[in-house]
Amino acid sequence: MDGTTNEGAAGADRYPPAATTVGPRASLVMSLPLGLLLGALSLLVMLPAAQHLRSLQDGERAQATLHTAGSCMAGHCQVQFEVGGRTVIADLPVGSGGGKQSVGASLAVRYQADDPQVAAREEDVGGGGAAVLAALSGGAALLFLTVAAVAAVFLARQRGSEA
């Protein structure tokens, strides 16, 4: 507190400064797998989910009740409805909304006439929620893959200057 510094003091250079940054190798190791994972989520899960939801736009309409609540966006919700005098319990597909509704809530569904087990909430058949998540995860994947590419170029240049 008297205005003196510890520069040159024994052991003063032993600890890194308080504000350290992540090096290019760590950036590459973290960004590449994360970018690939987000890209796979977008291309292999959310885009097909949006297409599946859109395929039910012309399906049969029925009034249903939420049978099992959960994470509907992840495909963990079930609805119950009547088709031709029999009760059908169908899983809502990945990308569905309505996760905040409680069990027993009434909702309209669209289902395939030849297979009533394939159903989706009527509000979701446009594929909007799944398409938005596909775009967001795809954009994040591009961001992380760009960071990985920049880190790889930096590491290559660093190795070239050392040789």
Side-chain angles (χ1 to χ4, degrees), residues 19-49:
T20 59
T21 59
V22 177
R25 182 163 294 153
S27 294
L28 180 64
V29 168
M30 290 185 295
S31 297
L32 185 61
L34 194 54
L36 293 173
L37 182 68
L38 286 168
L41 172 69
S42 180
L43 292 174
L44 300 176
V45 177
M46 297 315 296
L47 278 179

Side-chain angles (χ1 to χ4, degrees), residues 71-149:
S71 176
C72 294
M73 187 57 73
H76 296 293
C77 287
Q78 293 180 325
V79 292
Q80 178 179 339
F81 55 97
E82 296 284 325
V83 174
R86 69 179 184 118
T87 301
V88 175
I89 297 176
D91 293 328
L92 291 178
V94 172
S96 297
K100 297 187 191 275
Q101 294 178 332
S102 59
V103 173
S106 180
L107 56 132
V109 295
R110 294 276 180 175
Y111 65 92
Q112 287 182 350
D114 58 341
D115 186 9
Q117 292 290 326
V118 179
R121 285 183 347 134
E122 192 169 43
E123 293 88 12
D124 297 331
V125 295
V132 167
L133 281 178
L136 288 175
S137 62
L142 288 176
L143 173 74
F144 282 111
L145 291 173
T146 301
V147 169

